[in-house]
Each structure stands twice: as structure tokens, then as C-alpha cells.
Amino acid sequence: MSAVGSATDWPSWNRRSPSPFTSSAPASAVMPMRVIRRSSSANCVVADFSAAAPMIQDAVVTGHNRAEVGVLVVEARDRLGGRTWYRPFADTDLHVELGGTWFAQEAQRNIAAEISRYDLPTVLSPTGRELRSVLDGRMLTGANFPVPPGARDELDRALAHLVEQSRRVTFGRDLDAPELADLDVPFAQLVAPCTGSPVVRDYLWMWVGFALGTDPSSVSALHVLTWVAGYGNEAWVLDDAPATKFARGTASLVEALAGDGGAEIAYGSPVASVVDEGGAVRVRTVAGELYSAESVVLATPVNTWRDVDLVGLSPAKSRLAREGQAGQAVKAWALAVDVPELLIGSGWGGPLNWVCEQAQIGEGRLLVGIGADAGLLDTSDRQQVQDAVRVFAPEARVLKCDGHDWTTDPYAKGTWTAYRPGQLSRGYTPFAEPEGSL
């Protein structure tokens, strides 16, 4: 939800690194094909235009005359972009990102390539000045931030343990190797021996709740450690705010990809079934439109797979579809007054695990907050959002608020990927294998 990139770009925590969230898979199908409606023959179908467009260019068009390869986007929504959504905040003219926002070009190579390809400008989010943590029910500032001096040795040992375990992991490779199975357990279980005090436990839980967008008992420690390994085996410090984002929003990338692809786009066309018939793959929409292609790339969110009839899916992917991934974050925007300048707040126990100023509008400060459970906060309810912000800024008054619930969105049903315990060790390799022509 709060970063952009592809699933192969898993980043991790690191000092001075931007927020490492993965993103964006709309429930759509992209078809590089000679387009003939109603049960036609074609070259390829790709589900999820925004993430898959570079794949189409590099894999499908290579070796073909671009003019010979048409692209049809079968998009469930009335817009492109999936779980990225750049639109005006509340009733203002200021645009904000309701979904994926930040990225790390040094770690997310695919997104870096697209930024270079289209020469897209990027900017940095503001650097925090007022740092606060709320752990074990206590507000911690100044010399007590992020944890009191008496808890720092324990926190250092816990972080050192995570770094040590991350050295067993090769970033993006062999995550189902038998020797890593002991790490594919709930994150809360892995760190339990290192967290004798509630304040250190809450710090680590807050860390994962913010970065993975789910409860620490619901996400695999192996997945967390993969992130740590991806940034050179360093633990990411939460008082460094997410940094790099698109100067003109994620829409600038989506529009560049769509324009370069020259695609025909069928909006409002959710896919009902994908069937590999041997020699041809048929894609049927909910409305009954039928398309045929030689191959299909399915890149819709995992949590929507159960809503599509995917005939012949392998046992590993079928199980993943049944279980779903655990990302269920909330992202709230708030225009507030009586808030410290350039606040960064982080904590555990409230609806938001992280709050950070992103801009100043008149006398108000535009804040963005992220929490581990969308069910705990209605981002359209000003009182609820104000109460959540007041955990970190007790005098705050929220004037306007905004957000989108990706967990109830029928074409997302969750946020960025957080693998459940056991999923990586059971299926990391099978997840990446094609299913016939799918």
C-alpha cells in the first residue's frame, strides 16, 4: 500500500532509507494481442496493467514489431493504478497518495528502471524534527526516545538478534530452503525471547505493524528478515521518515506506462475466470466478455484470487489463494492544527503505528499515518482520526481527514504483501513457477 514496485523488489529496513512497502495490483487483465472481441485469438494476456507494462514491453514485444502487438487492458476499476491512487485530499485541490507512495531506488530496481525510462522527477518527504514514541502506554520524547535509557541495551540486543538471523537469508532467493524453515514462524514468536520488557516488545511490534501493515503474530519472521537482508543486514530506524516519492504522484508513472504502451483499455471489466485450454487461455469477465490468448500473466492481488475461477491452479498457489496474505494496513491523511512542527510519532497500542508531517497548508499541518489494522480506524470519521493523532499530539485538532479502506475494496482486499507464517517455506519457489500458459 505505501510503496511502489514489483513483488520481486522486496526492500527492507535500513538507516536513512525510505519506507519499504510493496504495492499495487489492480484486478485487471492486459492483453498484448491482435485484439478481436468475443472469443478471439491473441498473443498474451497480462493481469494488472500498471505493474506489468514493463514486462509486456521487455518480454512480449521483444522480438516483435511493436505495431504487430496490440495491448488490451481489461480493468476492473474505473481508473488505472490499482493500489496506487493519487487524488485530491478531502475537498481541497492538494493531491495525496491514498495507496503506494514511497520507494527505494537502490533496492527496487524495477521501479528505478521505469523512473529512468520516463525521466520522472522525484522529491523527498520532509525530515522529522519532533520525535515521539508511545510504548507501553507512555509518551517518550527527548532523552527517552525511542526507548528509555534503561531499555536500550535490551533493544540493542533484540535488533542485533534480528540482524544476525537476517545474515542467514539471501535477499530474494531460496526462501523455501529447509535450513530457513525455523525462521518461517510468527515474528512475535521469533522476538519473544529478546523482549523481556513491554517497551521493547512494543517497539519491535510497532516496527512490524508500520512496515508490514499487519499484526506481528500474523506475519512471517522470515519475510521481515528478508527485508532486513535486502538493505545490507541493517535494522531500519523508524525515526527516519519515508523519503523518496514521485514529484507528480504515482499517477505520473501510471500515465507514462499507459501512454507508452498505446493500450486499448476496457474499464469496469472485472475478470471472472481464467482457463488454460491447452494452446489457448480464455479470460472471461463478469459481464460475459470473452478473450483468448496464447498465454496469461496474472498479477492481481493474491487476496482477490479466490474471487476468480482459476482452473487448474497448482496446490501451492491454490493454498495461497485460500489463505491470502496478511497485509491489512490503514493509511489516514489529516489536516491538523496544534501539532508540533515536523512531527514523527511511532508507537504500539493505538490505531496508528506511525504519524508524520508531509506538508504545511496555511496554519495547518498535513499528516499521514499508517496502522496495522484497518478495522481499528475509519479514515472518514474526523473524531476517530483526531483521537488517533492525539496519541502522539494530545492537543491536536483535526480539521479534515481522508483515506481509502483497501481491505474492503473488492479489487484489493488487503494492502501490501505480508506473508503469513509458513507460506514462504512451503511455496516460495512454486509461487514463481508458471501454470502451463498462465
Side-chain angles (χ1 to χ4, degrees):
M1 176 174 132
S2 286
V4 292
S6 78
T8 58
D9 283 334
W10 292 343
S12 75
W13 291 308
N14 189 32
R15 295 182 179 86
R16 304 305 309 169
S17 296
S19 175
F21 304 148
T22 55
S23 84
S24 88
S28 63
V30 178
M31 303 184 177
M33 62 196 309
R34 301 174 183 86
V35 178
I36 307 173
R37 302 257 181 180
R38 303 265 185 209
S39 192
S40 65
S41 61
N43 301 122
C44 179
V45 174
V46 183
D48 179 356
F49 171 75
S50 58
M55 250 192 316
I56 297 169
Q57 295 167 332
D58 296 338
V60 177
V61 177
T62 299
H64 297 271
N65 185 320
R66 181 179 287 268
E68 296 177 351
V69 184
V71 178
L72 172 64
V73 180
V74 182
E75 170 61 62
R77 306 178 190 273
D78 61 359
R79 62 175 180 83
L80 296 177
R83 286 177 291 180
T84 63
W85 193 6
Y86 188 62
R87 69 154 173 79
F89 165 70
D91 58 357
T92 74
D93 294 328
L94 177 69
H95 280 63
V96 297
E97 300 280 9
L98 297 187
T101 305
W102 301 281
F103 48 84
Q105 287 175 260
E106 69 274 19
Q108 294 177 289
R109 295 180 298 276
N110 291 344
I111 205 74
E114 299 312 306
I115 290 170
S116 176
R117 185 199 302 262
Y118 299 114
D119 194 24
L120 298 174
T122 63
V123 296
L124 296 176
S125 291
T127 300
R129 181 179 302 166
E130 175 64 23
L131 309 178
R132 300 179 176 184
S133 57
V134 178
L135 307 171
D136 191 28
R138 292 181 285 166
M139 173 84 75
L140 303 170
T141 62
N144 287 317
F145 178 88
V147 299
R152 287 179 185 167
D153 285 347
E154 180 184 337
L155 177 59
D156 286 345
R157 288 193 298 271
L159 294 177
H161 175 64
L162 291 175
V163 169
E164 179 184 7
Q165 295 304 311
S166 76
R167 297 187 189 282
R168 299 170 53 189
V169 178
T170 302
F171 177 63
R173 292 182 54 192
D174 303 325
L175 299 182
D176 48 5
E179 60 269 23
L180 298 180
D182 64 306
L183 299 177
D184 201 8
V185 297
F187 178 81
Q189 176 182 325
L190 182 75
V191 300
C194 307
T195 54
S197 66
V199 71
V200 171
R201 177 205 62 202
D202 282 3
Y203 181 89
L204 294 178
W205 286 15
M206 166 266 293
W207 200 36
V208 167
F210 165 48
L212 274 296
T214 193
D215 187 276
S217 63
S218 299
V219 65
S220 167
L222 179 57
H223 190 182
V224 177
L225 294 171
T226 300
W227 287 30
V228 178
Y231 271 132
N233 307 105
E234 290 188 348
W236 187 44
V237 180
L238 275 178
D239 51 285
D240 288 331
T244 310
K245 58 186 179 181
F246 290 101
R248 296 193 294 268
T250 50
S252 63
L253 174 60
V254 174
E255 291 166 1
L257 292 170
D260 191 32
E264 178 184 353
I265 303 171
Y267 291 103
S269 301
V271 171
S273 66
V274 179
V275 182
D276 186 348
E277 298 180 341
V281 183
R282 298 194 183 276
V283 176
R284 184 183 298 275
T285 70
V286 170
E289 289 279 357
L290 185 63
Y291 307 99
S292 180
E294 295 172 6
S295 61
V296 169
V297 177
L298 181 71
T300 54
V302 167
N303 287 2
T304 67
W305 287 6
R306 68 195 74 172
D307 300 327
V308 181
D309 185 11
L310 300 172
V311 177
L313 205 60
S314 69
K317 294 190 184 71
S318 295
R319 181 168 180 172
L320 180 63
R322 290 194 305 272
E323 294 176 343
Q325 58 91 10
Q328 57 179 10
V330 60
K331 182 178 185 181
W333 287 91
L335 180 62
V337 294
D338 298 330
V339 174
E341 183 179 7
L342 296 174
L343 169 70
I344 293 183
S346 53
W348 184 258
L352 296 175
N353 302 126
W354 176 83
V355 172
C356 181
E357 180 180 329
Q358 294 295 294
Q360 187 166 358
I361 306 176
E363 296 182 358
R365 302 189 184 280
L366 184 64
L367 307 176
V368 63
I370 293 174
D373 186 349
L376 297 180
L377 182 64
D378 180 352
T379 59
S380 68
D381 187 315
R382 188 181 63 82
Q383 186 62 53
Q384 285 192 33
V385 174
Q386 178 171 282
D387 291 344
V389 171
R390 283 185 171 181
V391 171
F392 306 102
E395 304 301 320
R397 290 186 296 117
V398 170
L399 308 179
K400 302 176 187 291
C401 58
D402 205 351
H404 180 72
D405 188 348
W406 298 100
T407 66
T408 60
D409 184 319
Y411 307 125
K413 294 192 170 182
T415 50
W416 61 95
T417 299
Y419 283 105
R420 298 181 186 277
Q423 288 182 333
L424 289 171
S425 56
R426 286 196 307 266
Y428 179 75
T429 298
F431 291 164
E433 294 174 347
E435 306 279 332
S437 296
L438 173 61

